[in-house]
């Protein structure tokens, strides 16, 4: 645990790094002391915006610095483990952009290192810090929706094509982390299919199905070749249903009092009788805080208190296990892959 201002460095100033930098600059109790990137032009841009922050092209300068308490890593996925492990061994608290690492084995080693050194290890599952997803979790936990029957997520855009991960590890990871956070049960198996349309690159579109012990089923469609950007989710309950559109500027969540009822009476046994219920729709009020701002504040608070983060190393491990299983299923042309039971919380 640390008292006083937490001194943070950001490693990686490409696509996501500038968002981390901006939010840590504005986080109370935190001081952004350094930004590292291999591209001098990016660092020059950062220096113009934040002239009081040190910039460097050398990761070693950041990791070994006695003026850095914590690092946020926003580099390509294949580098996550090496940088995060070096930072932990140097006594730094660590926040890593999703996914936490390329394999469950690597994640376990990071968790063990963080536990050994009593350091905070956190993964950047940004969506679980949104007021929309937190409201959905609240509605489910308060049994407003009844039994959850399905989760259907559609996440598409034109790009960004990645070289070291496929579209599941890039986009479906968001839905998997949301499902893990909002549902009361963990999936028991996963099936996935995918396609590659650009030679030499990973799958750019995929369909993932998560199976549960109960009647719930979760389906995720992800696509890097969509003409429009889509961030839409349907969640069906036995009493109410939710439409969540993250691109909506105001009413991101709409709760529908709609559903079906089935007549199970002995008199109706010879024929199926389904009734349809059409009630009101309401859009709950949501806070306006940026999710990454909430997450940055949470990271700093966990460092100070020693509490386990909401998106801890162990939650990151469970997501990576599902991603690995989905990738194996793609290789088997969609054959289901059983999932291990969730591992107990080991460390932040």
């Amino acid at each position: 645990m640390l008292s006083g201002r937490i001194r943070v460095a950001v490693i990686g100033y490409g696509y996501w790094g500038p968002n981390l930098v901006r939010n840590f600059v504005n986080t109370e109790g935190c001081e952004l002391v350094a930004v590292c990137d291999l591209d001098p032009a990016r660092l020059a841009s950062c220096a113009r915006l934040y002239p009081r922050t040190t910039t460097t092209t050398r990761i070693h300068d950041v990791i070994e610095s006695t003026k850095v308490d914590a690092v946020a890593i926003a580099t390509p996925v294949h580098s996550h483990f090496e940088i995060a492990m070096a930072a932990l061994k140097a006594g730094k608290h660590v926040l890593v952009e999703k996914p936490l690492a390329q394999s469950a084995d690597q994640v376990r080693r990071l968790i063990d290192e963080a536990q050994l050194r009593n350091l905070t290890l956190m993964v950047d599952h940004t969506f679980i810090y949104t007021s929309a997803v937190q409201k959905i979790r609240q509605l489910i936990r308060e049994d407003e929706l009844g039994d959850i029957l399905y989760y259907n997520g559609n996440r598409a855009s034109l790009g960004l094509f990645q070289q070291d991960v496929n579209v599941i590890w890039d986009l479906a990871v968001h839905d998997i982390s949301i499902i893990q956070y909002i549902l009361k049960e963990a999936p028991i198996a996963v099936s996935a299919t995918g396609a590659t349309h650009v030679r030499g690159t990973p799958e750019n579109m995929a369909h993932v199905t998560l199976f549960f012990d109960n009647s719930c089923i979760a389906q995720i469609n992800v696509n890097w070749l969509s003409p429009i950007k889509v961030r839409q989710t349907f969640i069906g309950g036995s009493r109410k249903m939710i439409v969540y559109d993250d691109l909506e500027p105001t009413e991101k969540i709409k709760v529908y009092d709609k559903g079906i009822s089935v007549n199970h009476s002995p008199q109706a046994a010879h024929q199926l009788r389904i009734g349809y219920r059409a009630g009101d729709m309401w859009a709950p009020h949501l806070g306006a805080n940026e999710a990454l701002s909430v997450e940055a504040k949470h990271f700093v608070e966990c460092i100070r208190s020693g509490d386990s983060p909401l998106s801890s190393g162990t939650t990151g491990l469970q997501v990576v296990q599902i991603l690995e299983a989905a990738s194996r299923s793609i290789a088997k042309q969609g054959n289901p892959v059983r999932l291990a039971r969730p591992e107990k919380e080991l460390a932040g």
Side-chain angles (χ1 to χ4, degrees):
M1 292 183 290
L2 292 172
S3 58
R5 296 176 70 82
I6 306 299
R7 298 167 298 178
V8 176
V10 173
I11 301 176
Y13 196 74
Y15 173 70
W16 194 242
N19 296 319
L20 289 169
V21 167
R22 172 174 52 82
N23 278 281
F24 278 120
V25 165
N26 295 317
T27 298
E28 186 177 352
C30 167
E31 179 184 0
L32 181 74
V33 295
V35 174
C36 176
D37 195 275
L38 299 179
D39 187 342
R42 291 175 181 171
L43 292 180
S45 174
C46 178
R48 286 192 295 271
L49 292 172
Y50 311 100
R52 290 167 42 177
T53 298
T54 300
T55 59
T56 178
T57 58
R58 290 167 47 88
I59 295 176
H60 178 82
D61 291 345
V62 171
I63 290 176
E64 297 301 324
S65 173
T66 57
K67 298 179 180 179
V68 174
D69 302 313
V71 298
I73 301 167
T75 59
V77 178
H78 69 266
S79 65
H80 284 183
F81 171 75
E82 183 179 355
I83 297 173
M85 181 60 78
L88 290 170
K89 287 184 175 180
K92 315 299 185 191
H93 303 275
V94 173
L95 168 65
V96 185
E97 182 186 8
K98 59 78 186 170
L100 186 47
Q102 282 186 300
S103 71
D105 179 64
Q106 288 181 341
V107 176
R108 289 190 190 93
R109 291 167 64 185
L110 292 175
I111 291 172
D112 290 344
E113 192 68 29
Q115 184 179 43
L116 176 67
R117 299 177 183 276
N118 197 27
L119 295 168
T120 296
L121 174 64
M122 180 168 157
V123 59
D124 179 10
H125 289 161
T126 311
F127 278 92
I128 70 171
Y129 295 95
T130 63
S131 55
V133 171
Q134 290 182 353
K135 173 58 73 172
I136 291 171
R137 174 184 164 94
Q138 177 188 340
L139 292 171
I140 291 175
R141 296 305 167 108
E142 292 177 353
D143 208 27
E144 283 286 324
L145 276 63
D147 296 330
I148 303 303
L149 307 178
Y150 66 84
Y151 176 107
N152 191 301
N154 293 287
R155 200 172 290 270
S157 58
L158 194 60
L160 300 163
F161 271 72
Q162 313 238 2
Q163 295 297 321
D164 58 348
V165 293
N166 64 20
V167 70
I168 291 177
W169 288 71
D170 179 45
L171 293 182
V173 60
H174 293 304
D175 287 283
I176 292 169
S177 66
I178 291 170
I179 289 166
Q180 177 197 58
Y181 179 62
I182 66 173
L183 298 186
K184 299 176 183 178
E185 296 195 24
I188 60 170
V190 58
S191 171
T193 55
T196 300
H197 296 100
V198 180
R199 180 175 294 183
T201 65
E203 291 83 7
N204 53 258
M205 61 186 302
H207 178 85
V208 181
T209 302
L210 299 177
F211 302 94
F212 296 79
D213 265 330
N214 54 24
S215 60
C216 179
I217 189 169
Q219 296 177 314
I220 306 164
N221 290 290
V222 285
N223 190 346
W224 280 335
L225 282 178
S226 169
I228 62 172
K229 187 174 183 178
V230 179
R231 298 288 185 268
Q232 196 170 54
T233 302
F234 300 86
I235 302 171
S238 58
R239 284 203 293 270
K240 295 178 183 178
M241 302 180 179
I242 286 177
V243 175
Y244 164 37
D245 191 338
D246 188 61
L247 300 184
E248 277 285 336
T250 53
E251 296 180 345
K252 291 183 181 294
I253 296 177
K254 294 178 181 176
V255 183
Y256 292 84
D257 187 9
K258 292 186 177 183
I260 63 171
S261 59
V262 181
N263 189 340
H264 294 291
S265 67
Q267 294 79 6
H270 64 284
Q271 64 184 58
L272 185 64
R273 293 186 178 273
I274 297 178
Y276 296 89
R277 185 182 72 260
D280 294 333
M281 182 279 290
W282 63 285
H285 174 73
L286 302 174
N289 292 335
E290 181 182 356
L292 199 52
S293 172
V294 175
E295 185 178 23
K297 181 180 179 182
H298 182 59
F299 180 52
V300 170
E301 289 174 345
C302 288
I303 291 172
R304 185 166 285 119
S305 67
D307 292 339
S308 179
L310 195 59
S311 52
S312 66
T314 301
T315 59
L317 171 61
Q318 292 162 5
V319 169
V320 168
Q321 287 174 324
I322 295 173
L323 293 171
E324 283 186 319
S327 295
R328 291 199 299 272
S329 180
I330 287 179
K332 296 178 180 179
Q333 297 180 319
N335 285 349
V337 175
R338 297 286 298 187
L339 294 166
R341 292 190 176 276
E343 300 185 28
K344 293 181 179 180
E345 191 75 23
L346 300 176

